Amino acid sequence: MSTIVHVNGVAFYTEQAGDGPPVVLIHAGIADSRMWDGQFDALANATGGGSRHRVLRYDLRGFGRTPPAPGPFDHADDLRALLDHLGWERVALVGCSLGSRTALDFALLHPARVERLVLTSPAVSGLRYDGPPPRQAAELDAADEAGDRARVNELEMQIWVDGPRRGPDEVDPAVRQLAYDMNAIALANEGVGQEERSVSAAERLGEVGAPVLVVVGELDAARTMAAADALLSRLPHARRVAIANAAHLPNMEQPAAYHAAVLPFLAHWLLTTGP
């Protein structure tokens, strides 16, 4: 069921399905809620070896079918407003990249509301990365300066969807095309509002009390791997799963392997709390 939810001055596109312990899916910055097509039904309908959950996925402001809005905002506060509107007090959060950063920030701001975290292709607010930039960085900056959004999009596909060790022809064309289409919307809306995060997670990782599953694609960029290493070294309740033959969107590229890792982790909540 799709619904438009008006909170924080924005009309958020949302979808809900299923019954059971609530799970929220938060998409990557090169995507929108469609990236979870393979997981939405699996979680709601107990397919793929999982258990039934009440599932929410939504488009962040400026992504997919949620319009941008001018002025400052915080994705974690938007998530809080959505959950308040829905009356969801305690949830499991499954995020990818920007979505994982949002989930982690939310868990630090509202620890009593988070049962467990799945941080896919993680990003961590406030974490400094000192490694070399991707080889496309200079061309990406030039294309951005020239306003060539199509070239920016293609270069971001190379960096994130292909990864540093594959060419475009080595990626499922349907996955790559959907990512390109989703990212085109985000690029068109970029710069309308200014995100002002209210927490720096890198400085407070030891405060995270919820169980954490960190999922990475083995072909992802070095920046993502560095973030995953930081999480594993500083989070008290974390474990890591690496997905073969996948880069920054492992749930889209290798859904069976992703489900094998994530669904049992989420089902454990069902086993301990009941329907």
Side-chain angles (χ1 to χ4, degrees), residues 1 3 5 13-17 22-26 33 36 40 43 53-58 79 82-83 86 88 91-92 94:
M1 177 183 68
T3 307
V5 176
Y13 176 84
T14 74
E15 293 182 24
Q16 290 187 54
V23 176
V24 183
L25 305 174
I26 315 171
S33 61
W36 300 114
F40 189 67
L43 286 166
H53 294 268
R54 184 168 36 150
V55 188
L56 168 71
R57 62 174 171 174
Y58 69 102
L79 175 58
L82 279 170
L83 296 181
L86 297 171
W88 291 19
V91 298
V94 179

Side-chain angles (χ1 to χ4, degrees), residues 77-97:
D77 190 64
D78 285 343
L79 175 58
R80 176 207 56 77
L82 279 170
L83 296 181
D84 287 351
H85 176 89
L86 297 171
W88 291 19
E89 290 299 323
R90 190 168 174 86
V91 298
L93 298 176
V94 179
C96 181
S97 193

Side-chain angles (χ1 to χ4, degrees), residues 190-204:
E190 200 169 51
V192 173
Q194 179 64 43
E195 186 179 9
E196 296 182 356
R197 295 187 293 276
S198 54
V199 65
S200 178
E203 302 167 4
R204 298 176 53 185

